[in-house]
C-alpha cells in the first residue's frame, strides 16, 4: 500500500493537477501493484501478451521486452479496444489539419507575390534576424572559472550546456531556412 501511494499519489500524482486524473493514475497503478503480481499465471492483459517475463536472467527479460508489440494495445492500460479507434481518428484529424494548414491559398495580396515568393521573403527575413553562434571564448573569465577542487563552477556548467543547445538550434534553423529557399 505504501509503495502504491508513493508511486501514484506522490511521484505521478504530484505532477498532475486535476483530481480526476490523479484518481485515474491511482486506479491504473493499482493494476500493476496487485497482490497476485508474482504468481506464475498473472497477466497484465486478457490476451496474455503483457505478463511478467518467466526468465531468471536479464537476457531473457530483454528478449521478452524486444518481442513486445511496438504499439501498445489499449488492453494493457485496461481500456476498451475502441480507445485505439478514437486515438487513430484524432491522429488523422490532427494530420489533416496540419496538411490543410500548410496548403497555399489563393489570395489577393497587395504585393502581388505568389505563395512561394512570400515564403522565400519570410524565410530571408527570419534568417537576417538570427544571431551568429555564440563563442564561449568571448565569455568573462569568471564564467567558466575552475574551483579549488578542480571542477567548473555551476554557472559555467549551466552556460556551457545552454550555449551548446542554443548553437545547435541556431545551426538547425539556419540550415532549414536555407533549404526552404531552394
Amino acid at each position: 500500500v505504501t509503495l502504491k501511494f508513493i508511486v501514484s499519489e506522490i511521484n505521478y500524482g504530484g505532477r498532475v493537477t486535476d483530481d480526476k486524473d490523479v484518481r485515474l493514475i491511482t486506479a491504473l497503478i493499482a493494476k500493476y501493484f496487485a497482490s497476485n503480481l508474482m504468481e506464475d499465471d498473472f497477466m497484465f492483459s486478457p490476451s496474455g501478451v503483457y505478463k511478467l517475463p518467466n526468465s531468471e536472467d536479464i537476457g531473457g527479460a530483454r528478449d521478452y521486452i524486444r518481442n513486445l508489440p511496438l504499439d501498445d494495445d489499449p488492453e494493457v492500460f485496461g481500456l476498451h479496444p475502441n480507445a485505439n479507434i478514437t486515438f487513430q481518428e484524432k491522429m488523422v484529424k490532427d494530420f489533416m489539419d496540419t496538411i490543410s494548414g500548410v496548403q497555399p491559398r489563393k489570395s489577393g495580396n497587395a504585393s502581388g507575390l505568389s505563395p512561394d515568393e512570400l515564403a522565400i521573403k519570410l524565410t530571408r527575413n527570419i534568417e537576417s534576424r538570427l544571431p551568429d553562434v555564440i563563442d564561449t571564448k568571448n565569455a568573462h573569465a569568471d564564467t567558466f572559472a575552475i574551483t579549488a577542487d578542480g571542477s567548473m563552477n555551476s554557472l559555467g556548467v549551466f552556460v556551457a550546456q545552454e550555449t551548446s543547445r542554443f548553437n545547435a538550434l541556431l545551426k538547425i534553423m539556419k540550415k532549414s531556412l536555407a533549404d526552404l529557399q531552394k
Side-chain angles (χ1 to χ4, degrees), residues 46-112:
S47 68
V49 172
Y50 301 96
K51 59 185 178 187
L52 291 176
N54 15 338
S55 66
E56 298 285 325
D57 63 4
I58 191 75
R62 287 181 178 149
D63 289 339
Y64 169 76
I65 292 168
R66 274 190 215 102
N67 291 320
L68 285 173
L70 292 177
D71 295 323
D72 295 324
D73 240 345
E75 71 171 341
V76 75
F77 303 108
L79 301 173
H80 191 275
N82 285 350
N84 229 5
I85 295 169
T86 305
F87 171 73
Q88 290 170 350
E89 285 175 347
K90 183 184 179 320
M91 289 293 293
V92 168
K93 182 188 177 311
D94 291 349
F95 177 74
M96 294 306 289
D97 288 347
T98 302
I99 294 295
S100 64
V102 297
Q103 289 295 315
R105 290 172 178 71
K106 299 268 184 193
S107 66
N109 59 54
S111 64

Side-chain angles (χ1 to χ4, degrees), residues 146-152:
I146 304 299
T147 61
D149 65 356
S151 63
M152 186 183 299

Side-chain angles (χ1 to χ4, degrees), residues 20-162:
K20 290 166 191 66
D21 288 341
V22 173
R23 285 176 48 202
L24 174 65
I25 290 169
T26 303
L28 289 172
I29 292 293
K31 180 178 183 174
Y32 298 99
F33 284 80
S35 58
N36 59 344
L37 179 72
M38 299 308 284
E39 294 175 10
D40 290 337
D41 61 342
F42 181 82
M43 309 249 175
F44 291 110
S45 64
S47 68
V49 172
Y50 301 96
K51 59 185 178 187
L52 291 176
N54 15 338
S55 66
E56 298 285 325
D57 63 4
I58 191 75
R62 287 181 178 149
D63 289 339
Y64 169 76
I65 292 168
R66 274 190 215 102
N67 291 320
L68 285 173
L70 292 177
D71 295 323
D72 295 324
D73 240 345
E75 71 171 341
V76 75
F77 303 108
L79 301 173
H80 191 275
N82 285 350
N84 229 5
I85 295 169
T86 305
F87 171 73
Q88 290 170 350
E89 285 175 347
K90 183 184 179 320
M91 289 293 293
V92 168
K93 182 188 177 311
D94 291 349
F95 177 74
M96 294 306 289
D97 288 347
T98 302
I99 294 295
S100 64
V102 297
Q103 289 295 315
R105 290 172 178 71
K106 299 268 184 193
S107 66
N109 59 54
S111 64
L113 298 174
S114 71
D116 287 343
E117 291 168 331
L118 282 172
I120 289 173
K121 182 178 177 182
L122 179 62
T123 57
R124 286 183 180 152
N125 182 333
I126 294 169
E127 192 175 40
S128 71
R129 292 185 290 155
L130 288 178
D132 293 331
V133 293
I134 298 172
D135 186 3
T136 55
K137 292 178 183 139
N138 297 332
H140 190 275
D142 292 344
T143 304
F144 299 107
I146 304 299
T147 61
D149 65 356
S151 63
M152 186 183 299
N153 68 43
S154 58
L155 174 65
V157 171
F158 173 77
V159 169
Q161 290 173 346
E162 292 304 312

